[in-house]
Amino acid sequence: MALAPRTASVPNDLESYWMPFTANRAFKKAPRLIAGAKDMHYFTTDGRRLLDAGAGMWCCNAGHNRDPIVAAIQHQAAELDYAPAFQFGHPKAFELASRVSALAPADLDHVFFCNSGSEAVDTALKIALAYHAVRGEGARTRLIGRERGYHGVGFGGISVGGIVNNRKLFGTLLAGVDHLPATYNRAEQAFTKGEPAWGAHLADELERVVALHDAGTIAAVIVEPMAGSTGVLPAPKGYLPRLRAICDKYGILLIFDEVITGFGRLGFPFAAERYGVVPDLITFAKGVTSGTVPMGGVIVRKPVYDAFMRGPEHVAELFHGYTYSAHPLACAAGLATLDLYRQEKLFERAYQIEQKFADAAMSLKGLPNVLDIRTVGITAGIDLASRPDAVGQRAYAAMERAFYDHDIIFRATGETIAVTPPLIISESEIDELFDRVGKVIRAVP
Ligand SMILES: Cc1ncc(COP(=O)(O)O)c(C=O)c1O
């Protein structure tokens, strides 16, 4: 198999493509084009080899272009391209649902498939609302998210999400949404490895929200166990169990958005297991296929699923789904990916190298403009000081310098560099990665 396309063709007109979450004008003046990938590396159109410090976008947990996954997708495309998703099925959809639910804790036994994290979030919110309605508690319509939460870009997701730029231009969003406070406080938590000791009490804010609205109006709380897209904010010690206890007390469903934390990022199949907390619903995407074919889904506890299994048997129990729910290519990719995770023990591996990863990340403490470093699992967030009157510009410049001058690729979110490599990263590559990130930070005064 060819590794690096040395002379990949380059488009001569970049204008038509309106790129997502991208500074289009700046990109089109100085494009960063990627033409190939293998294991820990990307290859540019001019043949340079870049270390992937972002697992694509938190998704290629098994590394890139892994042979068994490639073969499974190729085989599936030749065998069954598509099967109707409503009222028909294909065997791999059932097999993958069983495999995913077997990885999830407790009685999280049922899987609803969709195609992205955003769809997974909107699906979970709809299931939560409908669950209360079918049980005769239709007044429970409020959804509670969290400041600095990212739950994708559907109207449900941006409503419960807590990023102002993702919300402010899009109207009134969903009605009846409230937010818990973010769990990050630099004064209390700076340079923490793993879960910060300070912050469990912030879960008690849910009591305040309940007192304000009454529990009988609240359907669900949705949080990321580790907020990724707003800069790697691990849950404080004890925070998630406390949230679970308050939800139990008031009959509120707890949704963990594990689109990033699922499939090994924090050293476990799901972060729920790391934290010993069983949510009612888990959303997932990204790592389920190691980023190869779009897929997302919601894992649901048995009592939630059972609540819907009533009424005439010829009628759909949930009026929701997508043409491409459980697409055959995604299912084939998912099964091959889960096999690879198991064969190479990648979740356990992530857990084993977490300390080494955290130490290497913390070695950047003291570099110019580094305000904080946070680590959890195989993930680090490095906050840089903003340049005067130009918030986000330094991290953006770091991302550019990394790509052009230091042969490394990572995501910058706001003023944070997010380092989230594939879980196959070797110990020497961890050192190499943070060495390069250090050089990049020095290069953006
Ligand atoms: C926690 C979380 N939820 C949802 C999403 C949205 O996923 P997608 O971009 O696949 O729609 C993301 C994406 O990064 C995410 O991090």
Side-chain angles (χ1 to χ4, degrees):
M1 188 181 306
L3 290 189
R6 310 310 296 183
T7 51
S9 67
V10 180
N12 60 12
D13 181 7
L14 304 182
E15 203 40 44
S16 298
Y17 178 29
W18 187 348
M19 300 175 70
F21 277 118
T22 297
N24 273 256
R25 288 159 302 158
F27 181 97
K28 289 169 188 180
K29 281 184 195 143
R32 293 173 293 279
L33 291 177
I34 296 165
K38 188 67 188 161
D39 299 334
M40 282 299 303
H41 294 92
Y42 276 123
F43 302 100
T44 59
T45 43
D46 53 356
R48 286 189 302 122
R49 182 170 177 263
L50 309 179
L51 186 60
D52 178 14
M57 287 190 2
W58 318 77
C59 44
C60 307
N61 291 0
H64 294 282
N65 292 40
R66 299 297 309 274
D67 292 346
I69 306 175
V70 173
I73 296 168
Q74 286 172 335
H75 178 81
Q76 187 61 44
E79 186 177 88
L80 173 68
D81 52 355
Y82 176 76
F86 307 165
Q87 305 292 10
F88 299 90
H90 65 92
K92 289 196 176 73
F94 295 90
E95 196 184 338
L96 184 61
S98 304
R99 294 277 301 274
V100 169
S101 60
L103 287 176
D107 57 352
L108 282 145
D109 283 347
H110 296 275
V111 181
F112 195 102
F113 285 115
C114 50
N115 309 287
S116 67
S118 299
E119 288 181 358
V121 166
D122 280 15
T123 299
L125 298 177
K126 287 175 76 173
I127 290 175
L129 292 170
Y131 165 76
H132 291 297
V134 296
R135 290 166 49 258
E137 287 199 66
R140 286 187 181 265
T141 56
R142 281 183 199 283
L143 300 166
I144 313 298
R146 195 167 61 187
E147 293 163 6
R148 296 193 70 171
Y150 182 67
H151 300 292
V153 294
F155 272 102
I158 60 173
S159 300
V160 293
I163 304 178
V164 64
N165 282 339
N166 292 0
R167 297 161 51 88
K168 67 183 182 189
L169 299 182
F170 306 114
T172 51
L173 311 184
L174 287 188
V177 170
D178 211 336
H179 290 78
L180 299 171
T183 60
Y184 179 61
N185 180 318
R186 184 172 293 151
E188 300 286 350
Q189 300 170 339
F191 299 101
T192 301
K193 289 181 198 165
E195 294 73 14
W198 182 94
H201 64 282
L202 294 170
D204 297 340
E205 287 292 310
L206 183 56
E207 290 277 8
R208 186 187 56 77
V209 171
V210 168
L212 177 66
H213 297 297
D214 190 83
T217 71
I218 301 177
V221 171
I222 180 165
V223 292
E224 302 155 89
M226 180 268 297
S229 299
T230 53
V232 184
L233 314 177
K237 282 195 183 86
Y239 175 90
L240 294 171
R242 218 140 139 180
L243 212 51
R244 176 71 274 184
I246 301 170
C247 286
D248 283 345
K249 184 168 151 193
Y250 295 112
I252 299 168
L253 293 178
L254 179 60
I255 306 170
F256 278 1
D257 184 347
E258 297 229 29
V259 164
I260 279 178
T261 54
F263 301 100
R265 181 60 47 198
L266 300 195
F268 291 86
F270 293 99
E273 193 177 327
R274 179 175 173 120
Y275 296 113
V277 175
V278 182
D280 299 292
L281 300 97
I282 291 178
T283 57
F284 67 88
K286 298 190 187 264
V288 64
T289 60
S290 197
T292 55
V293 181
M295 169 167 258
V298 184
I299 320 171
V300 176
R301 288 183 82 168
K302 184 172 174 356
V304 175
Y305 176 80
D306 287 347
F308 287 90
M309 296 303 126
R310 55 170 79 184
E313 289 208 358
H314 70 285
V315 178
E317 294 95 354
L318 182 66
F319 280 76
H320 179 72
Y322 303 89
T323 299
Y324 299 126
S325 283
H327 191 282
L329 291 192
C331 290
L335 288 167
T337 300
L338 297 191
D339 285 344
L340 204 53
Y341 288 152
R342 186 169 56 193
Q343 282 155 18
E344 299 187 349
K345 295 191 170 42
L346 287 183
F347 305 162
E348 295 88 331
R349 183 163 193 284
Y351 190 71
Q352 281 156 11
I353 58 173
E354 174 168 345
Q355 193 58 41
K356 154 90 196 168
F357 184 85
D359 291 344
M362 288 299 168
S363 72
L364 303 185
K365 186 177 175 182
L367 287 189
N369 300 308
V370 172
L371 298 181
D372 187 15
I373 300 173
R374 300 172 289 281
T375 62
V376 64
I378 303 303
T379 299
I382 304 166
D383 286 354
L384 302 180
S386 293
R387 289 171 171 163
D389 301 325
V391 174
Q393 198 197 56
R394 180 171 274 121
Y396 179 85
M399 178 269 294
E400 283 188 309
R401 295 281 55 85
F403 180 90
Y404 292 117
D405 304 336
H406 297 279
D407 291 346
I408 181 166
I409 187 163
F410 54 67
R411 252 183 83 60
T413 68
E415 209 69 275
T416 305
I417 292 174
V419 178
T420 63
L423 308 180
I424 57 168
I425 188 168
S426 69
E427 300 211 7
S428 63
E429 282 167 336
I430 292 175
D431 292 331
E432 184 188 337
L433 185 159
F434 284 107
D435 182 56
R436 290 192 201 185
V437 173
K439 288 188 174 121
V440 169
I441 291 173
R442 287 191 194 88
V444 289

